[in-house]
Amino acid sequence: MNFVSKDPPNSSSLPVAVIGGGIAGLAAAYQLSRYGRRVILLESAPRVGGVIRSERSPEGWLVEAGPNSFQENSRATATFLQELGLAADITPASGVAKKRFIVRGGRPCQAPMSPPSLIATPLLSSRGKLRIFRDLFFPRRSRPADVSVAAFVSEHFGSELLDYAFNPLVAGVYAGDPQKLSAQHAFPLLWKVEQSHGSLIRGLIATARDRKRRGEPKTRLISFRDGLQMLPDALARALPADCIRLNATLETLTPPATPGAPWRIGFRTTNSTRADNAESSLQVESCASVILTVPAHALAKVVIASDPTTSASSGAPANRPFAELADIAYPAVASMFLGYRREQVAHPLDGFGMLVPEVERRQILGVLFSSSLFPQRAPEGHVALTVLVGGTRQPALAHLPADRLLETIMPDLRELLGVSGEPVFIRHNVSARAIPQYNLGHERFLQVIARAEQAFDGLFVGGQVRDGISVPACLQAGLTLASRAHER
């Protein structure tokens, strides 16, 4: 994560347009402001933050509708949070978060996190454990073509580790399918480690040693006192008052007619306080450049036209350079935040949570032990569980109404965690398009983005669709986009 001084080398009288108010867009706008550039940030929703949304109930429950935590994985990330004034609000995950559970044979088994625990774990058979060590002799290779995560992991560790480690991991991170996900794009670190070391075990050990040699602090899992939403809120507060335009829908982008001429953006805003949701007339702004950080399905609809008054719905010919990105899969994921009295849950909940392999044939992807992971997530004498459902594994379940979804998942919760009785608190959240899937062939979409940037001078694209799905990856994407736009 790269920082700049507050004294920029250059400035421009025209603003930079940032489309999308998620973490990447907010970080780009923030960095551009530090460069001394004016910014217009358009967000179609009535709030910034994208999928990050935290809710503190009057009773004392803290609900995360999107991601629950992220990894502070570098000194630069720590500095960034300090610059935002969030250092005092950082809440590190509790010590028990290092413990993870994976279901096998109808019961949660502690996942091995060290060589001694690997030998003792009931999660894998003796044959499966021995198969893992064959990876130590895996040769370095430069693969001629991408392979699926499933094929990649099976080659290194065998099918049992795939079924009972990587399959649930992929469900927890991507809500995806390891048979479809690209090893090169979904897990780029492992792909590079194989090229440099062959063995993933030896390569990851060497990577950890290199971090220590560079003086990088240990990665830690964090949130904030009032949830992850404190991060986008802090970024928004750091921007000039007139920078953010909420309920703003982009209609057209008009590239420069001649080199050095401005871009023009056409957009409408909706008055969310009026019953009829009346839209404003088309507003047109001139900009030095344009940064797009919206999801793939929104990028696919972006119109680049020669006339800013030509809208996407007018029926007139329009240039949609990102149309192919509509093919990127975004599975639906539902989360059920369930609060119980402590005595209603038999499991000690002494860990980060529990993941469920597909071979176990359950209705849930996994459960986060939210009240064990961070403090102040549940009232005294209570515990909180966040149950994740859907994804590519069972997409239809994510669309069930709250009452039917609760009825569907309760048998799993009773059997696996010893949950009894009705929850005393419920929050049901659904993301119809949760996480972009970096499936095999993802390079086709990256090439579409690269071609558009080459075709239109001053257009920059990034965020989850291109740069990684984690919060730190989106932060870094925003900072990089800002640097590119400023140096143009």
Side-chain angles (χ1 to χ4, degrees), residues 305-461:
S306 59
D307 181 352
T309 62
T310 301
S311 72
S313 59
S314 67
N319 185 4
R320 292 183 174 84
F322 306 106
E324 289 183 57
L325 271 59
D327 293 338
I328 295 180
Y330 277 75
V333 174
S335 67
M336 292 286 285
F337 182 96
L338 304 175
Y340 291 95
R341 296 185 300 278
R342 185 63 191 88
E343 62 269 19
Q344 289 182 270
V345 183
H347 193 281
L349 304 180
D350 53 341
F352 180 94
M354 173 185 73
L355 291 172
V356 181
E358 189 171 6
V359 293
E360 289 289 313
R361 306 287 183 186
R362 296 282 176 172
Q363 303 299 305
I364 62 176
L365 299 176
V367 183
L368 297 176
F369 304 160
S370 300
S371 54
S372 300
L373 186 54
F374 296 109
Q376 309 292 314
R377 263 41 177 183
E380 186 70 26
H382 293 74
V383 294
L385 307 175
T386 301
V387 186
L388 302 174
V389 179
T392 60
R393 190 182 296 178
Q394 294 169 307
L397 293 184
H399 297 290
L400 290 177
D403 56 345
R404 287 188 57 199
L405 183 58
L406 182 60
E407 180 183 344
T408 299
I409 65 177
M410 279 309 302
D412 286 348
L413 298 182
R414 282 193 291 266
E415 183 175 346
L416 299 174
L417 298 176
V419 174
S420 61
E422 297 296 320
V424 299
F425 182 87
I426 299 175
R427 280 293 183 274
H428 175 221
N429 290 289
V430 180
S431 177
R433 295 186 177 101
I435 302 168
Q437 301 296 291
Y438 293 1
N439 285 339
L440 286 169
H442 188 69
E443 60 273 5
R444 169 169 71 96
F445 305 119
L446 300 180
Q447 290 165 5
V448 167
I449 294 172
R451 285 197 299 268
E453 288 185 331
Q454 292 168 3
F456 299 102
D457 182 41
L459 182 66
F460 306 96
V461 185

Side-chain angles (χ1 to χ4, degrees), residues 45-125:
R47 51 174 289 277
V48 295
V51 297
I52 295 177
R53 181 163 55 87
S54 309
E55 174 199 352
R56 173 77 73 178
S57 78
E59 301 89 351
W61 305 96
L62 181 58
V63 183
E64 296 282 16
N68 283 255
S69 59
F70 74 93
Q71 290 188 332
E72 187 186 70
N73 53 10
S74 69
R75 182 172 287 106
T77 303
T79 302
F80 185 82
L81 298 177
Q82 187 172 12
E83 289 278 346
L84 282 176
L86 287 173
D89 295 305
I90 291 175
T91 304
S94 67
V96 301
K98 295 179 181 179
K99 187 187 292 188
R100 315 290 173 99
F101 294 92
I102 297 175
V103 175
R104 178 155 194 175
R107 67 186 185 93
C109 300
Q110 185 175 339
M113 305 299 286
S114 66
S117 63
L118 176 62
I119 294 171
T121 182
L123 187 64
L124 299 171
S125 67

